[in-house]
Amino acid sequence: MRTLALLALSLGLAAPSPAQRHAITQAFTGYVHMPSSPAAKDNRILSISVSKLDSRYAAARLFSKSAGPSEMLFNLSHGTWWVVAFGSSFGCDAAPKAVLSDLKIGCAPPNGVAWINTCGPLVSKPTSITLSCADGNYGLDHLDWRGWGRAAATAAGFAFANDCKPYCAAGHFHTYPVTVTADRLAKCGLTPTYGRVIITYPAARPQAIPRHDVRVLGC
């Protein structure tokens, strides 16, 4: 662990605390060993660094004998570290530009201008959003955003909901056309983040869901 800290410091980066290192390593291990993971199973961590500008972001330098060097980007959301990017290069929408520069991670366009919570890490301009974090029974999909990065962004898409009949495990998912507005844009650390979505159902909607469904999201 001292070697990892010295390597991070030699790169001009902030070394993680023991608790941060443990949690980030757990996230790395879970990602590598999840089914159909794009990461080679023989990946190992060379160094871990936490952003000095926003401690919600961290990066790990990796090496695999079978796949070579790579990097992994993490975001801390709701007390959990999540992998938000992995590979030899990232899109610049993985995190704010200042954070990527601070972590000495190169990236390629598109650039991110705003992010939103999707029951996990902060994501820029997502095509899907999970709204029911505990069970995934309610969410949004096929979102086509306009005005992303402005005070309010709008999207057309579909809501999906489990009818839970006769009970949720045996229920069926149904889709409904919706329009979505994301607003309450504010900083979460360095990250401009939408804090609320309003889902409007022009016609049919799931049982017990109002025609204008307002959901407050955390960062």
Side-chain angles (χ1 to χ4, degrees):
M1 290 189 294
R2 180 174 173 79
T3 301
L4 294 182
L6 289 174
L7 180 54
L9 289 172
S10 70
L11 293 172
L13 304 171
S17 68
Q20 286 173 323
R21 182 182 296 111
H22 176 71
I24 291 167
T25 300
Q26 283 190 316
F28 158 80
T29 301
Y31 184 86
V32 168
H33 293 287
M34 72 178 183
S36 303
S37 173
K41 296 294 186 290
D42 64 342
N43 263 297
R44 61 186 179 90
I45 296 175
L46 298 180
S47 68
I48 298 173
S49 55
V50 176
S51 171
K52 294 178 180 179
L53 300 179
D54 189 339
S55 60
R56 293 179 180 86
Y57 288 95
R61 270 70 184 181
L62 313 176
F63 184 77
S64 159
K65 288 184 178 180
S66 61
S70 59
E71 295 177 313
M72 191 172 281
L73 181 67
F74 303 84
N75 175 231
L76 178 64
S77 178
H78 295 291
T80 300
W81 285 97
W82 305 83
V83 177
V84 294
F86 164 76
S88 57
S89 64
F90 300 157
C92 296
D93 58 353
K97 184 178 179 180
V99 170
L100 295 176
S101 297
D102 180 45
L103 291 170
K104 302 190 185 312
I105 292 176
C107 65
N111 295 306
V113 292
W115 285 259
I116 196 167
N117 191 289
T118 61
C119 287
L122 296 178
V123 179
S124 181
K125 206 174 182 179
T127 58
S128 62
I129 296 175
T130 300
L131 298 171
S132 179
C133 297
D135 51 27
N137 281 331
Y138 180 44
L140 306 170
D141 205 358
H142 295 90
L143 297 174
D144 183 15
W145 292 99
R146 296 189 177 188
W148 187 262
R150 298 176 183 171
T154 60
F158 294 88
F160 61 86
N162 189 344
D163 60 19
C164 290
K165 294 179 180 179
Y167 50 91
C168 290
H172 298 86
F173 280 89
H174 305 272
T175 58
Y176 308 85
V178 293
T179 57
V180 180
T181 299
D183 63 5
R184 293 188 179 175
L185 185 63
K187 288 288 186 72
C188 176
L190 284 184
T191 312
T193 306
Y194 289 108
R196 182 176 71 171
V197 291
I198 303 170
I199 304 106
T200 300
Y201 291 85
R205 64 184 189 276
Q207 187 175 4
I209 296 294
R211 189 165 299 281
H212 298 284
D213 186 19
V214 179
R215 300 278 167 153
V216 177
L217 308 175
C219 79

